[in-house]
Amino acid sequence: MKRIVALLATCATAVGLTTLLSPQPAAAAAGCKVDYTVTSQWQGGFQAGVKITNLGDPVTGWTLKFTLPDSGQKLVQGWNATWSQSGSTVSAAGIDWNRTLATGASTDLGFVGSFTGSNPKPSAFTLNGVACTGSVEEPPPNPGPGTGTPVDVNGQLHVCGVNLCNQYNRPIQLRGMSTHGIQWFSKCYNNAALDALAKDWKSDLLRIAMYVQENGYETDPAGFTSRVNSLVDMAEARGMYALIDFHTLTPGDPNYNLDRAKTFFASVAARNAAKKNVIYEIANEPNGVNWTAIKSYAEQVIPVIRAADPDAVIIVGTRGWSSLGVSDGSNETEVVNNPVNATNIMYAFHFYAASHKDNYRATVSRAASKLPLFVTEFGTVSATGGGTMDRSSTTAWLDLLDQLKISYANWTYSDANESSAAFKPGTCDGTDYSSSGVLSESGALLKSRISTADSFPTS
Ligand code: IDC
């Protein structure tokens, strides 16, 4: 298990003399935090992770410096930055994909070092010359092996036949919740809220809905990538799977975002390749576009992920808002007869219980014997995300998914002012995510379904 050691130094923000001269633009706010972790150590050598968090104004280029306190320590090789050593000072400069750091954004670097005497922690971390003395909320330590969390029990997942299978090659069903758009509801994804999801809801997974449009990823690729990564870490620390949702919606043709998808997935797949808890969902809800175009998109994005993270499960959206084509008057046969040319993949199916009923359930019942399905999003309400909760249709759906061992994530773990949200409006402005009083009708139903014991096979 990794131990995170936050290094706190004491030094004030540097204020350049230029700020005393006028007229000058206001000095940019500066600040940073560094988490230094020795991930392994052996005779004469060690490997360390260095996580930088920008606590000041956004930066579009950065250099991290620190001092190796023991004269026997040397930098051997680093990654995710351009590394160099001069005397006892080590420098790491941001590269293409991480040189922009939004306020609050983090990036992970690492290096291998050698040492002769003792191996003390480096000191005097600075980012662009400013001492990294800040602190931010730390996630709780990774529960690690033997704690019985969903990730601990099931390990790296894979597709076997039409099922999602665990490390014992046995079919499992994951039951969990989706975030709302993280560009709007990030206040709902703090440590207390995710503790409640893991411990009270006993959720197996967190779907991270990263909208691409609507003030999402396209407006700040580095910032959203980093926010997704930190939610992956927060899920991992609680033993939950993280479903990274590239939430395309409008425009409906995923090819509109093909280049963005390649850039985003190359980055998150490289960064999270070693983790066991990550599942990729490459296009939320294709709409107004045929299956051939969706398949072509998938066959261009999947190899990008595979190149960095070869063993992760990848989920492909389907025609008609991920309805396997039903909402466009088609059905699953277009996929069965012309599947995506890739292995270890599943197909997304979405429904909103008050809008989508018997004919959609019949499609899922039929398709489930031919295609690996994952309900990456569903609502208990109408397809608008609002209206009255349909308890009987929701129950029929969840019973069917349980019976077929189809995994699901409910829209949404948020306090949005709409009936699909699990919490009452205003909940995320407070600190209570656990009492029944903060739950909406939909939230109460979902919590009662998700929190029942999992029976994951272990042999
Ligand atoms: C809805 C949100 C709503 C938001 C709207 C537009 O609930 O607050 O204004 O998106 O971004 C989906 C989509 C999902 C929708 C949801 C409900 O994947 O983004 O969220 N829905 O309409 N497909 C079917 C329903």
Side-chain angles (χ1 to χ4, degrees):
M1 194 203 310
K2 295 178 183 177
R3 283 203 67 76
I4 294 181
V5 183
L7 290 179
L8 299 176
T10 49
C11 210
T13 304
V15 179
L17 267 182
T18 48
T19 57
L20 301 174
L21 307 172
S22 63
Q24 284 287 332
C32 49
K33 171 176 179 269
V34 167
D35 294 310
Y36 178 83
T37 316
V38 174
T39 49
S40 56
Q41 185 168 313
W42 56 92
Q43 183 84 45
F46 68 102
Q47 178 171 322
V50 183
K51 178 177 182 177
I52 305 171
T53 305
N54 176 24
L55 301 177
D57 285 344
V59 293
T60 50
W62 51 263
T63 301
L64 174 79
K65 291 194 178 190
F66 58 85
T67 305
L68 293 173
D70 179 327
S71 59
Q73 283 176 330
K74 283 202 178 56
L75 168 74
V76 175
Q77 188 199 355
W79 52 90
N80 291 353
T82 304
W83 292 80
S84 61
Q85 180 173 358
S86 164
S88 61
T89 303
V90 172
S91 302
I95 50 178
D96 278 3
W97 54 269
N98 66 5
R99 75 166 47 105
T100 301
L101 281 182
T103 303
S106 302
T107 191
D108 284 284
L109 323 177
F111 71 98
V112 169
S114 61
F115 68 101
T116 50
S118 61
N119 189 25
K121 283 174 282 184
S123 60
F125 284 89
T126 61
L127 191 70
N128 290 349
V130 176
C132 294
T133 57
S135 63
V136 290
E137 225 181 341
E138 281 294 339
N142 186 322
T147 50
T149 66
V151 176
D152 182 42
V153 174
N154 294 299
Q156 176 62 53
L157 305 175
H158 64 281
V159 179
C160 54
V162 292
N163 292 113
L164 181 64
C165 280
N166 68 8
Q167 60 183 332
Y168 306 104
N169 206 28
R170 300 281 301 274
I172 60 161
Q173 178 198 31
L174 300 178
R175 298 171 295 159
M177 296 296 291
S178 174
T179 68
H180 203 293
I182 58 172
Q183 79 274 39
W184 297 311
F185 287 91
S186 60
K187 64 176 180 174
C188 293
Y189 311 114
N190 54 54
N191 283 327
L194 294 185
D195 282 347
L197 185 62
K199 292 189 188 135
D200 303 340
W201 289 60
K202 301 188 171 43
S203 183
D204 305 322
L205 87 154
L206 174 72
R207 179 192 194 227
I208 303 164
M210 187 198 70
Y211 276 72
V212 185
Q213 276 71 46
E214 300 185 61
N215 290 320
Y217 175 81
E218 66 177 0
T219 63
D220 179 11
F224 278 96
T225 302
S226 149
R227 180 74 187 137
V228 167
N229 285 333
S230 80
L231 288 167
V232 167
D233 292 352
M234 291 170 86
E236 181 189 37
R238 293 162 176 83
M240 291 188 286
Y241 288 91
L243 177 53
I244 300 181
D245 161 32
F246 193 68
H247 201 87
T248 57
L249 185 60
T250 310
D253 183 350
N255 291 292
Y256 176 83
N257 289 305
L258 178 61
D259 288 344
R260 292 183 191 93
K262 287 181 178 173
T263 304
F264 172 72
F265 282 110
S267 174
V268 291
R271 193 268 187 184
N272 297 304
K275 296 185 191 290
K276 293 184 176 153
N277 73 318
V278 178
I279 304 170
Y280 302 98
E281 181 181 4
I282 60 175
N284 167 49
E285 290 189 349
N287 59 87
V289 62
N290 64 27
W291 172 242
T292 313
I294 302 166
K295 175 174 139 86
S296 157
Y297 167 85
E299 288 174 357
Q300 294 176 78
V301 176
I302 292 168
V304 172
I305 300 176
R306 291 279 185 253
D309 187 350
D311 62 354
V313 172
I314 299 174
I315 303 171
V316 179
T318 57
R319 184 175 159 198
W321 295 273
S322 288
S323 68
L324 283 170
V326 183
S327 291
D328 271 359
S330 181
N331 61 45
E332 79 281 6
T333 55
E334 64 184 25
V335 181
V336 173
N337 296 335
N338 188 19
V340 170
N341 185 15
T343 54
N344 212 23
I345 62 162
M346 306 185 84
Y347 296 93
F349 186 87
H350 291 180
F351 65 85
Y352 278 72
S355 305
H356 308 127
K357 301 189 179 178
D358 288 345
N359 60 324
Y360 287 80
R361 282 191 282 269
T363 302
V364 167
S365 303
R366 259 191 340 259
S369 63
K370 304 197 178 88
L371 297 170
L373 300 179
F374 196 127
V375 172
T376 54
E377 180 186 311
F378 79 95
T380 61
V381 299
S382 87
T384 61
T388 311
M389 180 178 92
D390 191 327
R391 185 178 296 273
S392 68
S393 175
T394 301
T395 302
W397 269 114
L398 295 180
D399 290 350
L400 177 67
L401 300 184
D402 290 354
Q403 183 205 321
L404 296 170
K405 281 201 189 309
I406 295 179
S407 300
Y408 63 75
N410 173 250
W411 186 261
T412 57
Y413 196 70
S414 84
D415 69 350
N417 191 11
E418 54 190 13
S419 52
S420 49
F423 294 112
K424 291 178 179 160
T427 300
C428 300
D429 299 323
T431 53
D432 174 13
Y433 295 89
S434 293
S435 63
S436 56
V438 297
L439 295 172
S440 68
E441 201 184 358
S442 184
L445 175 59
L446 260 299
K447 187 177 179 180
S448 75
R449 294 288 306 214
I450 292 176
S451 60
T452 58
D454 289 306
S455 51
F456 297 126
T458 54
S459 62

